[in-house]
Amino acid sequence: MTTSAAGFDLAQTDKLLTTTRSVRKRLDFSRPVSRDVVLECIDIALQAPSGGNSQPWRWLLVDDPGVIKQLGAIYQKAHDPYMAANRKAAEEAGVTDRNAIMDSSTYLSDHMGEVPMMVIPCLLGRVDGSSGTESAGFFGSILPAAWSLMLALRSRGLGSAWTTLHLVYEKEAAEVLGIPDTVTQCALLPIAYYTGDDFKPAKRQPATKVTYINGWKQR
Ligand SMILES: Cc1cc2nc3c(=O)[nH]c(=O)nc-3n(C[C@H](O)[C@H](O)[C@H](O)COP(=O)(O)O)c2cc1C
């Protein structure tokens, strides 16, 4: 075991950080997920930073199968035309390296209404997005916590995927859940135990390719 100077087991820490993937095809829809384990993960997530430590969040945990079915239908209504357009564009451009992600995404859409648990991270308030400072501060006050939640879930054998497509019909989902129009839904995380455990680091560009030093475009 390699322990960092700060006392962390680097192999375990780095494994968690580099292999927490969007889990779609390997979600086990038949295995129940307890509220307790998700609440434990939300407790961990709440240690994340937020602007001025304002903690402007609410976490909507959904495990009623009837409500999940309704949200799944809303998701699919938004996803399927979006994906059809994407597939068409990829075909026309002769792009084939996106097939796996499109298939995975379509699989999740077909089964979104069957997941045992969903969490919708919500922000108290709305922004119009025209001010960079405002929107960075707004969404930046929940994104670190939401990612922490996904990491905590993963370390307990639970898979999730960051999804946003249901927001095409944000109002419909808000009506299903009784969310007031002063609140912003930021994502919809389907949650289930995953099958197998051979998640790998994904292919990404190296840091040196996407990092500038001391000035824009300076390597
Ligand atoms: C802002 C954002 C929105 C996303 N929306 C969706 C979505 O609606 N549906 C979906 O299946 N995946 C969605 N994803 C997941 C990405 O497709 C995924 O993170 C990406 O393909 C990389 O795969 P990985 O997470 O397994 O590394 C979203 C991710 C982010 C960060």
Side-chain angles (χ1 to χ4, degrees):
M1 176 169 103
T2 312
T3 307
S4 74
F8 285 96
D9 174 347
L10 285 184
Q12 283 300 306
T13 310
D14 293 355
K15 181 179 174 191
L16 180 65
L17 291 170
T18 58
T19 66
T20 301
R21 301 260 75 80
S22 298
V23 187
R24 303 185 185 93
K25 286 189 168 175
R26 287 165 56 177
L27 296 171
D28 185 347
F29 303 120
S30 61
R31 188 168 163 196
V33 175
S34 82
R35 288 178 189 172
D36 285 348
V37 69
V38 178
L39 286 170
E40 181 179 291
C41 293
I42 294 175
D43 266 329
I44 292 168
L46 298 188
Q47 294 295 322
S50 58
N53 198 20
S54 53
Q55 303 169 53
W57 46 48
R58 291 290 181 271
W59 304 81
L60 231 160
L61 189 156
V62 187
D63 63 2
D64 178 323
V67 178
I68 286 179
K69 205 171 164 193
Q70 287 181 73
L71 294 174
I74 291 170
Y75 183 85
Q76 194 164 27
K77 187 166 72 165
H79 173 277
D80 289 3
Y82 166 83
M83 192 49 67
N86 260 9
R87 278 191 197 278
K88 192 165 175 268
E91 258 171 48
E92 282 168 9
V95 176
T96 53
D97 63 354
R98 294 190 51 78
N99 288 348
I101 185 194
M102 290 193 293
D103 289 349
S104 163
S105 177
T106 301
Y107 178 86
L108 178 63
S109 176
D110 290 345
H111 296 277
M112 189 64 109
E114 298 162 40
V115 297
M117 180 82 73
M118 290 173 168
V119 167
I120 301 183
C122 295
L123 277 164
L124 302 174
R126 310 278 310 176
V127 278
D128 68 9
S130 58
S131 148
T133 317
E134 203 189 355
S135 46
F138 186 70
F139 290 107
S141 287
I142 199 163
L143 299 180
W147 179 238
S148 288
L149 170 60
M150 291 173 71
L151 294 168
L153 291 166
R154 153 87 167 120
S155 67
R156 286 157 178 76
L158 287 157
S160 58
W162 191 281
T163 81
T164 46
L165 278 166
H166 85 288
L167 295 172
V168 173
Y169 300 107
E170 183 187 1
K171 276 199 171 143
E172 270 184 48
E175 269 165 35
V176 170
L177 296 162
I179 299 173
D181 58 14
T182 50
V183 167
T184 304
Q185 301 171 52
C186 299
L188 187 165
L189 312 179
I191 295 170
Y193 283 97
Y194 49 75
T195 54
D197 190 10
D198 56 350
F199 295 105
K200 304 235 165 19
K203 199 161 175 261
R204 299 281 199 256
Q205 294 189 75
T208 46
K209 208 145 189 218
V210 291
T211 307
Y212 301 140
I213 314 251
N214 291 328
W216 190 248
K217 291 206 170 168
Q218 290 183 37
R219 303 265 181 208

